[in-house]
Amino acid sequence: MSHILHPMRKARLQRSELAVPASNPAMIDKAADGPADYVFLDLEDAIAPSEKVQARKNAIQALNDIDWRARGKTVSVRINGLDTHYMYRDVVDVMEQAGDRVDTLLVPKVGVTGDLYMVEALVNQIEQARGFSTRVGLEALIETALGMANVEAIARFGGRLEALHFGVADFAASMRARTTNIGGLNPHYPGDQWHASISRMVVACRAYGLRAIDGPFGDFSDPEGYKDGANRAAALGCEGKWAIHPSQISLANEVFSPPEAEVTRARRIIEELRKAEAMGKGAAQLDGRMIDAASERMAMNVLVLADAIAAR
Ligand code: GLV
Ligand code: MG
């Protein structure tokens, strides 16, 4: 192992992340009572320009009125992009009026590290000025060709950054990929056309201690398509996926929770390795397969996640 290690910056259970347009207070109330690990109140692309100001007010009110933490939820606000004139007031109003009630800000269309620097500087000042003892985290959407080209530098930003998300819809648009289907597979492509990009983002996340989250799947009448996409993301190391419809929450929770058989096998791996260790051996066998210290590291990932789910 290298002497340079970047431990996980912040562990949070993020199997399912429900996107809720902040223009709709009834949907916000429903989200607070639902089964999602994470809810983000959207001020960005699900909100029409004429509704931006009211959506911001609704988000602030929902942060203040609802005790999201008592409900076991992480609550986030997706601010508008730095290329809009809404962004500075999103940060200032949300942070000044509810900065100790929101867990993270999700910054869309991050292209360069300076985008995060700007949000971080504002948040630092507002938290100081307000005397908050809480510390809001930052999450970045990688959803432009520029963001993907700079994904390693962005992941290395440090500060409050704790997760990157793959925004497949904007990414497809930015890449001019031949699709108008959010997150679906292109039948002309032999495999998953998003594989290389998700994988690239996950490597950057894991190298620098960030959580990796897969973005939306637009066809909420296709649960199997959703689960296939979620399973592919999980296979690459993502720990959760967005839900753009309440019906997708349980699908994400299912896919990103280790099944009982996997947890049992992880426990047995640890037991067998302890026995081998007592006999002075590094490797052992389990059900006809070799296991060693790397198996222990994989098993521990499963057990840590299972504990976090049990503690929820
Ligand atoms: C999410 O914002 C996306 O563009 O997919
Ligand atoms: Mg987007």
Side-chain angles (χ1 to χ4, degrees):
M1 200 90 82
S2 165
H3 285 287
I4 298 177
L5 287 178
H6 296 278
M8 268 301 273
R9 300 177 62 86
K10 177 92 182 167
R12 296 188 200 261
L13 196 58
Q14 199 168 3
R15 296 167 300 172
S16 50
E17 174 146 355
L18 182 64
V20 183
S23 51
N24 189 330
M27 278 171 86
I28 300 179
D29 289 343
K30 231 173 132 191
D33 289 328
D37 291 339
Y38 233 90
V39 172
F40 82 78
L41 307 177
D42 194 12
L43 304 182
E44 199 220 14
D45 277 358
I47 309 299
S50 59
E51 293 188 301
K52 292 280 187 195
V53 172
Q54 187 58 46
R56 191 190 291 135
K57 287 186 185 152
N58 295 345
I60 292 166
Q61 185 165 355
L63 290 168
N64 285 315
D65 288 355
I66 299 171
D67 193 346
W68 297 86
R69 291 175 187 141
R71 290 165 192 243
K73 296 210 184 307
T74 302
V75 65
S76 178
V77 172
R78 178 164 74 166
I79 61 173
N80 284 283
L82 275 80
D83 56 329
T84 72
H85 63 82
Y86 304 112
M87 172 264 165
Y88 79 98
R89 191 144 293 288
D90 289 344
V91 177
V92 170
D93 285 4
V94 170
M95 285 305 299
E96 283 194 342
Q97 296 172 44
D100 54 346
R101 313 264 312 168
V102 62
D103 294 307
T104 69
L105 297 183
L106 175 57
V107 187
K109 300 177 183 64
V110 170
V112 295
T113 53
D115 295 347
L116 291 175
Y117 183 93
M118 180 175 179
V119 180
E120 175 109 9
L122 283 171
V123 165
N124 282 344
Q125 292 196 25
I126 297 167
E127 280 185 355
Q128 270 181 40
R130 289 279 144 161
F132 291 146
S133 54
T134 46
R135 180 179 158 87
V136 80
L138 295 184
E139 305 183 51
L141 259 158
I142 302 299
E143 53 181 345
T144 59
L146 183 63
M148 193 58 77
N150 290 321
V151 69
E152 286 171 17
I154 291 166
R156 262 199 318 268
F157 171 73
R160 295 161 184 262
L161 186 64
E162 44 179 85
L164 300 184
H165 298 231
F166 180 63
V168 67
D170 272 302
F171 188 66
S174 177
M175 295 291 284
R176 303 190 185 203
R178 294 272 309 269
T179 182
T180 50
N181 180 2
I182 299 180
L185 293 182
N186 182 331
H188 299 293
Y189 191 84
D192 177 350
Q193 74 270 33
W194 310 119
H195 169 96
S197 303
I198 297 180
S199 183
R200 181 172 178 180
M201 186 195 82
V202 176
V203 171
C205 284
R206 297 314 187 188
Y208 297 106
L210 305 177
R211 304 186 304 276
I213 307 300
D214 190 25
F217 182 83
D219 185 355
F220 53 82
S221 65
D222 180 10
E224 290 311 315
Y226 180 93
K227 280 207 285 188
D228 283 347
N231 271 309
R232 286 193 302 274
L236 292 174
C238 286
E239 52 196 274
K241 182 167 174 66
W242 290 15
I244 48 87
H245 187 271
S247 66
Q248 294 178 334
I249 300 171
S250 57
L251 306 176
N253 286 346
E254 180 194 325
V255 170
F256 291 98
S257 302
E260 198 45 50
E262 213 173 282
V263 177
T264 305
R265 183 172 158 79
R267 290 217 170 86
R268 288 178 64 215
I269 288 173
I270 307 287
E271 275 165 30
E272 289 305 318
L273 286 172
R274 289 292 166 274
K275 284 190 218 159
E277 213 175 275
M279 293 190 297
K281 291 190 201 157
Q285 271 195 33
L286 180 64
D287 302 333
R289 292 180 198 167
M290 190 280 284
I291 55 174
D292 68 4
S295 316
E296 175 164 349
R297 289 189 275 274
M298 290 188 273
M300 284 312 295
N301 287 339
V302 174
L303 296 179
V304 166
L305 176 57
D307 285 350
I309 294 167
R312 188 176 184 266

